[in-house]
Amino acid sequence: MDEATPIGDGSPFDEFELVVARAERLLEIGRAEEALAMLQADQRTATDAGALVTIAQCHHQLDRDDQAAEAAERSLAVDPERPGGWLMLALARMGQGRPVDAVPAANRGVELAPWFPPAHSVAARANADLGRFDPALHHAHKVLELDPDGPAGWIAVCRVEIAQQRWDEATMAANQALARDPENDEARVLLSVAQVNSPRTAGSCLLYT
């Protein structure tokens, strides 16, 4: 969730950055429990805002959003200006079914990192969950502007269209995402949701091929 930082010259702090980087890699390949154990075993995690954001990501991936929210709040206690802490807090609040609390956290993440496409993706999703579709689409289109060649913007648009039950528009957006990344699992799932609910394709669960 945070932007990558360079590894330094072998100091104790740089060594811990390597630990965090390894944990992030494990998280990327779906091994959240291992990543979590690695970070929790190192006492330096408790005072490192980036490591605490990664712990929040681990808990969120494991559908443990109470723990994710707690880790995000601990990260922000260390560094209240860290965008990743606010964005993970927003995702955790959404997972807890608290969109009214997710939106201000997501908005703060955007304020701190307006150039960072994932910040706008989270804000789009949070606003859509609250039924605020105009700002949700604004943030989704901002992802498209910042990352026109990737699937994330179209995934964000698709989520907003699904929230409005605009199934044909959601199908189009999912197909645009898949045109950019044919193996994107999130886009495939969203396409299936849109197709199942669309009057044009009711009863069909066909995925993009």
Side-chain angles (χ1 to χ4, degrees):
M1 185 59 65
D2 281 335
E3 294 179 275
T5 54
I7 303 301
D9 59 4
S11 70
F13 182 75
D14 296 325
E15 178 190 344
F16 183 61
E17 285 186 331
L18 287 171
V19 172
V20 176
R22 292 189 193 103
E24 290 173 345
R25 177 57 185 151
L26 287 170
L27 183 63
E28 288 173 3
I29 60 176
R31 294 162 63 180
E33 289 282 13
E34 292 177 59
L36 189 61
M38 178 182 294
L39 291 172
Q40 290 177 330
D42 196 311
Q43 63 183 5
R44 291 169 291 186
T45 296
T47 56
D48 187 275
L52 289 166
V53 168
T54 304
I55 283 183
Q57 289 178 272
C58 291
H59 283 304
H60 181 66
Q61 190 176 106
L62 294 165
D63 295 321
R64 300 197 296 241
D65 283 301
D66 290 345
Q67 293 96 319
E70 180 184 1
E73 288 175 333
R74 288 168 59 201
S75 171
L76 292 168
V78 175
D79 181 4
E81 301 297 301
R82 193 173 195 91
W86 289 106
L87 298 175
M88 277 312 308
L89 182 59
L91 287 170
R93 295 302 186 216
M94 283 187 272
Q96 292 173 313
R98 296 169 56 182
V100 71
D101 296 317
V103 167
N107 288 344
R108 182 59 178 150
V110 169
E111 288 173 6
L112 291 167
W115 60 86
F116 190 39
H120 292 280
S121 290
V122 173
R125 185 171 173 183
N127 278 283
D129 281 0
L130 197 57
R132 300 180 59 192
F133 300 123
D134 286 344
L137 279 174
H138 165 77
H139 286 293
H141 290 151
K142 192 67 177 178
V143 183
L144 288 173
E145 177 186 326
L146 292 168
D147 183 20
D149 297 324
W154 288 108
I155 288 172
V157 170
C158 184
R159 284 188 173 278
V160 178
E161 300 294 9
I162 284 174
Q164 297 178 89
Q165 299 185 11
R166 290 160 49 98
W167 309 116
D168 290 345
E169 291 82 354
T171 297
M172 182 277 293
N175 278 320
Q176 288 287 343
L178 287 164
R180 288 156 175 78
D181 180 5
E183 303 303 318
N184 190 287
D185 290 336
E186 185 177 6
R188 285 174 173 266
V189 169
L190 292 172
L191 178 58
S192 181
V193 170
Q195 289 181 328
V196 165
N197 286 282
S198 173
R200 295 191 187 189
T201 56
S204 172
C205 294
L206 294 176
L207 294 175
Y208 180 96
T209 57

